[in-house]
Amino acid sequence: MFHIKKIGAFAIGLLFTVSCTKQVAKADESVSKEYCISGSLKSKIAFDTIVKKKVTDAIHLTGAVEANPDQVVHFISLVNGVISKTYFTLGDKVQKGQVLAELRSTELIGMQAELKTAESQIKVSEKNLQAVQSMFNDGISSEKELLQAQSELAILKTDKIKISSNLQLYSASAEKGVFQIKAPTSGIITDKTISAGTQITAEGEPLFTISNLNEVWAMVNIHASNVQNIKEGMPVNIKTLSYPREIFKGTIKVVSQVYDNEERVLKARVILNNADGRLKPGMLVDVIAIELKDIEALSVPTDAIIFDNNENFVVLYNDDCDVKIVKIDVISKHEKMIYVANNFQEGQKIIAKNQLLIFEQLKNFQN
């Protein structure tokens, strides 16, 4: 009988122990449901803050780089002839006065002959003037004859100056027997239509084009849907495939009032400093026109956004054990900033680096 009582007491004690163990287990389970960021994970994340700013819209456009037409020179020959030699190629950088080509022309022979004739006539006229002057001093010649001799000499000298000026204008080289074609300005050769042996005519097609590319234009295409949004004075950020990590900043200077007949768009002009020569005519560019609005909203860095299941989220952080996922309502986007309509507190922290790790852990934890 005593043994039966002991066994009963032992059974009751065992049941009590199991019951207590289950209660402790339940208590531990409820505690474990609180998610906390571990120390090792926290060292891998970074924070940013929610800030109130004026809303900025980014309007995406396209365009191309062009040379400033006011800084472009098309060289046209003033004489007929044949190109005997060239000293430049397309894309070369040239300086004002540099010899670019040589031109053989029958006109040079004629002008040189005219110059020699004028010089000979001047010598004869000078001798004649001396004789008339001497006779006038002796009272033999009249004043009219003296003035006539002086006038003849002046005319001959004027003709010589004219011929010499033309030879200088055409950069004639008496030693080589050619006209030297010199660069009228400094810049880059952006077009070339001649080579050795090319026959050219006076005032024909341009022989070459020199463009000063220290300042270039970005000609921006404005489609009908954006006409009302693009205005003169708007700041723009410009990107190219050649320099994907660099932004060229400018301002819309002029918006055309007439549609481009070929492309069916309005054209806007952005003037860009190009002293380093990196922007080349013909380069395609992506243009982001920045529209500043008169409203303020809370802004979140784009890098902190998580895109999941066609929705945008951020991970709000209060402390290591108070972290939560919040879906955001986007008002506007601008480069590295997204403006939201959520009722956040300005200055509230969000996780901005490795936030996807926290996002996935929170999702798994909640499930």
Side-chain angles (χ1 to χ4, degrees), residues 189-234:
I189 300 293
T190 54
D191 190 28
K192 176 187 177 184
T193 61
I194 59 170
S195 58
T198 303
Q199 186 170 352
I200 61 174
T201 57
E203 299 183 2
E205 294 296 319
L207 307 186
F208 55 84
T209 299
I210 299 177
S211 302
N212 186 331
L213 300 180
N214 288 335
E215 183 181 88
V216 294
W217 291 0
M219 297 305 294
V220 183
N221 302 321
I222 307 174
H223 293 276
S225 58
N226 283 320
V227 168
Q228 61 180 345
N229 299 320
I230 304 302
K231 298 177 178 61
E232 294 179 5
M234 289 181 69

Side-chain angles (χ1 to χ4, degrees), residues 45-58:
I45 64 177
F47 304 99
D48 211 320
T49 54
I50 297 173
V51 180
K52 182 175 283 188
K53 293 183 176 181
K54 276 198 170 183
V55 175
T56 303
D57 265 351

